Amino acid sequence: MSNWFERNSLYIGLAAAWTAMLGSLYFSEVLGYIPCTLCWYQRILMYPLAGILAVGLLRRDRGVSFYVLPFSLLGMGFSTYHYLIQKTTIFGGETSCQVGVPCTTVWIDWLGFITIPLLALVAFVIITIMALISLQAPAEVEDIEAHEATPWLAVGGVIGALLIVFGLLAFVNRPAAASSESEPPPVTMLSAEEATDAEAMPADGAGGETSGEADGAALYAASCAGCHGADLTGIAGLGNSLVTSAVVKTYDDETLLLLIRNGRTADDPGHGSSVPMPPNGGNPNLSDAELLAITQYIRSQTQ
Ligand code: HEC
């Protein structure tokens, strides 16, 4: 282990904690992604680390790792569990989040595997490793001379923290003028072939000849009901009513399928509510055939 790492491990951990905290606030406050219950647990464990590590470093407290590890290790557990329920069915595909956004909702899916809990997991792992490196670093590597935080340091810290909070609030509440200039996402129509292919394709994993409508109901319950409600009338603050939706009434199947595929960001001109709709309803695994089954289910319930 190089000396450099031993001397700077806690700074790397601090950077990881701040990146994770600001990144998660960017996702929720700027992009409008709604954190699920499991996301909140990870936030509860991550956010204090941004402060604990900073104070530990300022006070040159070699014992800071002992305060960091309980948070980072628990955080690793939550992130791993969250990632597994997003990407696998080993916990039965059901989620522990019955209220609000389903924990299986995938807001981002970069390269097909990088989701928000995975990012959190990476941060928790970095912080844990850095805390462990700092723990085992020989005493002479660091200046461990007892170091009381001087008053100006405390004052500076408080002012800095206030500036950051006010800056963030100002940024988040900035007038939305700029966003209206952004281009609406192009609505490319499915070609006739693709559409018929999709209809002919059996629903993935459905295992045989179940009727499209029955599938649609189950798929709707799993991926959409969390926001649009079991009875399709919507849940305030999460998703609008599909029963009264003009979009559902007027769009044909392909356009509707495409809307669900793409989701809607809050700056989309067609957007009617204050929250975004995640692409695929937050479930990247839904095939065209499954989305069509859902669409048909929605139609069967709204006409
Ligand atoms: C995380 C919450 C969430 C989930 C999960 C979700 N939606 Fe949505 N959905 C929304 C929001 C919010 C809107 C409103 C977007 C807007 O105002 O443009 C919306 C809009 C829609 C619309 C357009 C309705 C209209 O009148 O504008 C359709 C159709 C729709 N969703 C279908 C689905 C389907 C099908 C699923 C499941 C595959 C799903 N949604 C999952 C949040 C969600």
Side-chain angles (χ1 to χ4, degrees):
M1 190 61 57
S2 77
N3 269 358
W4 186 88
F5 255 113
E6 284 175 348
R7 256 183 287 112
N8 295 295
S9 57
L10 290 179
Y11 289 98
I12 299 172
L14 180 73
W18 275 85
T19 309
M21 181 175 73
L22 295 178
S24 81
L25 288 171
Y26 177 76
F27 283 138
S28 66
E29 305 310 310
V30 180
L31 299 184
Y33 301 168
I34 303 160
C36 70
T37 305
L38 280 174
C39 295
W40 274 109
Y41 288 142
Q42 287 159 79
R43 289 173 153 208
I44 288 166
L45 292 163
M46 180 67 77
Y47 291 8
L49 289 176
I52 292 174
L53 277 160
V55 174
L57 276 164
L58 280 176
R59 304 205 59 202
R60 306 194 190 184
D61 180 352
R62 274 177 60 80
V64 69
S65 292
F66 293 112
Y67 307 114
V68 167
L69 285 170
F71 289 89
S72 65
L73 289 169
L74 273 175
M76 277 168 62
F78 275 106
S79 305
T80 307
Y81 174 73
H82 195 180
Y83 188 61
L84 289 177
I85 66 170
Q86 275 188 338
K87 291 293 187 184
T88 72
T89 52
I90 58 175
F91 296 104
E94 279 306 310
T95 76
S96 60
C97 304
Q98 295 308 319
V99 186
V101 190
C103 290
T104 43
T105 301
V106 174
W107 287 101
I108 67 161
D109 195 29
W110 296 329
L111 306 177
F113 74 98
I114 303 176
T115 65
I116 295 175
L118 185 70
L119 294 174
L121 176 61
V122 169
F124 280 125
V125 168
I126 292 176
I127 294 167
T128 302
I129 292 175
M130 293 304 147
L132 290 174
I133 289 178
S134 145
L135 261 191
Q136 59 82 59
E140 59 272 19
V141 170
E142 285 181 56
D143 171 12
I144 55 159
E145 176 190 327
H147 179 92
E148 291 296 323
T150 47
W152 65 260
L153 221 49
V155 173
V158 171
I159 294 176
L162 286 177
L163 282 178
I164 290 172
V165 171
F166 290 161
L168 266 174
L169 288 176
F171 180 68
V172 169
N173 297 327
R174 72 201 182 286
S179 64
S180 60
E181 290 159 21
S182 62
E183 295 267 306
V187 173
T188 43
M189 295 297 292
L190 286 180
S191 74
E193 280 160 61
E194 275 173 331
T196 38
D197 276 0
E199 262 163 282
M201 224 190 317
D204 281 0
E209 303 264 329
T210 40
S211 85
E213 202 168 295
D215 270 344
L219 291 166
Y220 175 87
S223 296
C224 323
C227 291
H228 291 290
D231 57 358
L232 289 80
T233 52
I235 294 178
L238 291 172
N240 52 351
S241 165
L242 299 177
V243 180
T244 55
S245 162
V247 166
V248 173
K249 286 205 182 74
T250 54
Y251 281 26
D252 61 18
D253 281 0
E254 282 75 35
T255 324
L256 196 56
L257 188 146
L258 213 73
L259 182 150
I260 301 168
R261 246 296 159 262
N262 294 338
R264 244 189 205 163
T265 52
D267 55 14
D268 188 313
H271 190 83
S273 62
S274 56
V275 276
M277 152 98 182
N280 273 351
N283 181 353
N285 301 325
L286 289 177
S287 66
D288 279 354
E290 288 170 321
L291 282 183
L292 266 179
I294 294 176
T295 314
Q296 272 145 26
Y297 170 72
I298 294 174
R299 293 210 188 289
S300 76
Q301 300 300 301
T302 52
Q303 272 157 12

